[in-house]
Amino acid sequence: MRHFKLLLLAALCFSAQNLTAQDLKAFEKKVTEFTLANGLHFIVVERHEAPVASFHTYVNAGSVNEPNGRTGLAHMFEHMAFKGTQSIGTTNWPAERKALEAVEAAYDRLEAEQAKEKRADPAKLKALSAELDSAIQAAQAYVIPNEYPRIIEESGGAGLNASTGVEATNYYYSLPSNRSELWFLLESQRFLRPVFREFYKERDVVREERRMRIESNPQGKLVETMLATAFMALPYRHPTTGWASDIEHLRVEDARVFFEQFYVPRNMVIGVVGDVDPAAIRRLAERYFGPMQDRPLPAPMHTLEPPQSGEKRAAIETPAQPFLTIGYKRPAQDDPDDPVFDVISTILASGRTGILYKELVRDKRIALAAQSAAVFPAGEYSNLFLFFLVPNSGRSLTELETACYEVIERLKNEKVDATTLERVKTKVRASIIRQLDSNTGLASQLTWYYMNYGDWRKLFTALQEIERVTADDVQRVAKRYFTTTTRTVAFTVPPGGATQPAAVKPAPSPASPAKPPAPAKPASPAKKEPAR
């Protein structure tokens, strides 16, 4: 998922050394960058306060890159991340490899019979399904469960994890700095020779996650519906978890093709932060990652979201607590107005000091919760400025929606006062110290900014951009983008013939009609334009 930048700006401070944005030159002295011959880029930051090092691998591939009919593939790699290598996690790799090949052959025979559809022989389908189960069990017999993470934990590793987002997949953990070579050995083997061990077992886990997070979760259903309604063309409409029918039919060969297309050195960046010697890190990088084959970058996506020509509304029936989401189309993160959206989000929904909380939750008691996100679900392409609202007991969604629009209209018609703007900027500075004073956090930020902007130094200039936002900017952006034409509304209603809330039409702004935002050009995967 795209990192919401007002939180991510924490790396600007590098607070252990009490740095500020003006200290870029001092910070640069602690940073060493190099690129291997195959295109894999490394960012190394020396922090010698403790004998530990954090490692972060950022792969520029997420759910937005999945082909139609194969959604959920990017998420599968998160689940396969720590299954081991050809020498770790197996009692006998040559035998296991043959067993895994037998699994695929059995699956091919089953799918061939299933493809006959109405002409398929039920008895043969049953027999082939049993054959597949038997082959999977035979391959499982060679697996040493959790050996990969056990080795890391026994070596003092901490924070071992991976995450899948809309536009990226991340792998990260920390080790004592004198165990750095272990990280290089383990991480490189996963990318040099992936084994796809226990693929179908993990596929079932992914399917269960979807059932829990979306199908059995009203909020998950609502967000999925919001995205599918708001976006017609961009793959933001697809859930990161994947569609159920796609997940159930994912095959190892699908994963292999995805891996070969997107897990290429030039589409990855690695951050190392901690008590390390940059020269030694480079030698290890050459030794372990140098053998990775240099392959072409994935082709850029050319799909653009067509301009929205009117409000969209969608309702989800559920007996649970009602929820309301409102999304406005906004330009991609490389747009000059991107920092203005960050400021607007903080003005509206920065905890108890946000306008939405003070008016809808505290004063009018219309809402139990009122939040916003400046970028949703990610920022490389045109996306949404999202409001998420929960009505108070006895208050209707229509009442809550109307009250939200009143706040938005006031943002258009009344300039934000200087005190509020300064409070917002002070809040950003405070979040700098609170959010990321860790090696892990800094490694994450460096890799994200490098891949999304082509230069980690954007960490420093982003704060300056926030500082330059004015009250006029806030009003101008609100007028231009928070319009009925760019709006999508999704909400829950109780089952049993309930009618959806009527569309609310707030008083128009006295300003001239705003033009809808133009679709953003897709950025090249090689080097994203300044944009999560």
Side-chain angles (χ1 to χ4, degrees):
M1 294 182 186
R2 191 243 192 186
H3 301 63
F4 294 140
K5 290 178 297 169
L6 285 177
L7 298 179
L8 296 187
L9 288 170
L12 292 167
C13 190
F14 204 34
S15 58
Q17 284 77 24
N18 195 30
L19 296 180
T20 64
Q22 287 72 33
D23 294 307
L24 173 57
K25 291 188 181 298
F27 183 79
E28 284 180 317
K29 294 178 181 179
K30 300 178 180 293
V31 180
T32 300
E33 290 184 88
F34 58 87
T35 304
L36 302 183
N38 57 22
L40 180 57
H41 192 74
F42 280 78
I43 306 171
V44 184
V45 182
E46 295 180 71
R47 298 185 76 177
H48 300 292
E49 290 75 27
V52 296
S54 296
F55 303 87
H56 193 107
T57 302
Y58 184 108
V59 182
N60 190 35
S63 58
V64 75
N65 304 111
E66 296 163 344
N68 287 332
R70 296 293 182 267
T71 59
L73 264 180
H75 189 202
M76 281 298 302
F77 281 91
E78 175 190 337
H79 281 256
M80 301 300 296
F82 308 111
K83 290 296 181 180
T85 67
Q86 294 182 6
S87 57
I88 297 172
T90 182
T91 59
N92 185 335
W93 170 245
E96 184 187 11
R97 180 172 56 191
K98 291 181 180 179
L100 291 172
E101 291 171 353
V103 170
E104 295 309 305
Y107 214 141
D108 288 343
R109 291 190 289 273
L110 174 60
E111 284 195 337
E113 186 65 24
Q114 291 173 333
K116 297 177 182 179
E117 297 182 340
K118 293 181 180 180
R119 295 182 292 107
D121 183 344
K124 191 173 183 180
L125 285 174
K126 183 177 180 180
L128 289 172
S129 181
E131 181 183 331
L132 174 60
D133 290 341
S134 178
I136 291 174
Q137 291 175 13
Q140 186 68 31
Y142 296 101
V143 176
I144 303 176
N146 301 315
E147 186 177 29
Y148 190 98
R150 179 182 59 78
I151 290 173
I152 295 170
E153 290 168 4
E154 290 179 353
S155 299
L160 176 67
N161 215 331
S163 64
T164 308
V166 177
E167 295 170 346
T169 307
N170 295 272
Y171 307 89
Y172 47 92
Y173 59 95
S174 299
L175 279 168
S177 51
N178 62 1
R179 295 288 188 273
S180 294
E181 188 167 4
L182 176 65
W183 179 87
F184 278 91
L185 170 65
L186 297 179
E187 191 81 350
S188 63
Q189 290 302 304
R190 291 198 294 111
F191 297 120
L192 277 165
R193 289 177 283 275
V195 296
F196 299 106
R197 180 176 290 130
E198 296 184 301
F199 182 86
Y200 298 109
K201 176 182 177 181
E202 291 305 315
R203 188 185 69 176
D204 292 342
V205 173
V206 170
R207 179 64 184 89
E208 183 60 26
E209 281 188 11
R210 176 182 167 79
R211 188 174 290 110
M212 293 175 59
R213 296 177 181 179
I214 298 178
E215 296 168 9
S216 302
N217 186 325
Q219 294 183 52
K221 280 185 178 180
L222 180 62
V223 170
E224 183 175 85
T225 300
M226 160 62 80
L227 293 175
T229 304
F231 295 101
M232 296 176 60
L234 284 177
Y236 285 160
R237 64 180 287 108
H238 297 154
T240 303
T241 307
W243 299 112
S245 55
D246 287 353
I247 296 169
E248 293 164 1
H249 292 88
L250 292 177
R251 293 287 305 274
V252 165
E253 185 58 26
D254 298 324
R256 198 182 310 280
V257 170
F258 187 86
F259 180 88
E260 291 177 355
Q261 182 178 4
F262 292 100
Y263 279 68
V264 302
R266 296 182 185 278
N267 206 40
M268 300 163 58
V269 58
I270 292 176
V272 182
V273 179
D275 185 26
V276 295
D277 173 13
I281 293 297
R282 182 161 192 163
R283 288 194 296 271
L284 292 171
E286 295 281 1
R287 176 180 177 183
Y288 289 101
F289 285 94
M292 287 183 68
Q293 183 181 356
D294 184 7
R295 299 199 301 273
L297 280 164
M301 184 174 72
H302 298 294
T303 302
L304 298 177
E305 183 67 17
Q308 188 169 320
S309 55
E311 184 187 66
K312 301 178 182 180
R313 298 183 72 85
I316 296 294
E317 289 192 359
T318 174
Q321 160 76 45
F323 300 105
L324 170 68
T325 58
I326 303 169
Y328 291 93
K329 288 281 178 59
R330 53 149 291 176
Q333 60 193 9
D334 60 359
D335 190 89
D337 282 332
D338 187 53
V340 185
F341 287 105
D342 291 330
V343 169
I344 291 175
S345 182
T346 308
I347 290 170
L348 292 175
S350 53
R352 293 178 179 272
T353 60
I355 295 175
L356 290 175
Y357 177 88
K358 289 192 293 185
E359 294 205 9
L360 305 189
V361 179
R362 186 192 67 188
D363 297 341
K364 297 180 180 179
R365 298 187 178 182
I366 298 173
L368 291 175
Q371 303 169 353
S372 70
V375 174
F376 190 80
E380 185 176 351
Y381 310 104
S382 60
N383 56 89
L384 298 177
F385 187 105
L386 187 75
F387 294 87
F388 185 87
L389 306 160
V390 183
N392 207 341
S393 177
R395 311 306 286 261
S396 70
L397 287 177
T398 300
E399 186 179 10
L400 180 57
E401 186 177 355
T402 301
C404 182
Y405 294 152
E406 288 173 354
V407 171
I408 293 172
E409 288 302 310
R410 195 158 67 249
L411 201 65
K412 297 178 183 181
N413 298 321
E414 301 174 13
K415 289 185 180 181
V416 176
D417 61 90
T419 301
T420 298
L421 266 183
E422 184 56 34
R423 172 180 57 80
V424 167
K425 294 171 184 178
T426 300
K427 202 171 185 68
V428 172
R429 296 188 194 100
S431 72
I432 288 172
I433 297 174
R434 282 198 309 268
Q435 293 295 321
L436 287 176
D437 187 25
S438 68
N439 293 344
T440 300
L442 186 54
S444 171
Q445 308 316 316
L446 291 171
T447 55
W448 186 86
Y449 272 94
Y450 176 83
M451 188 60 76
N452 282 270
Y453 291 89
D455 191 343
W456 57 265
R457 292 166 184 81
K458 179 70 173 180
L459 277 168
F460 290 84
T461 59
L463 184 55
Q464 296 168 5
E465 291 170 1
I466 291 288
E467 290 290 341
R468 287 195 292 267
V469 173
T470 66
D472 288 334
D473 292 328
V474 170
Q475 186 178 48
R476 173 181 55 80
V477 168
K479 285 182 176 181
R480 181 176 182 186
Y481 294 104
F482 295 166
T483 68
T484 305
T485 304
T486 66
R487 189 166 69 206
T488 300
V489 183
F491 48 90
T492 62
V493 294
T499 57
Q500 72 176 39
V504 181
K505 297 181 178 179
S509 169
S512 57
K515 294 181 179 179
K521 280 189 176 182
S524 167
K527 180 179 178 182
K528 297 180 192 289
E529 297 178 18
R532 110 218 98 261

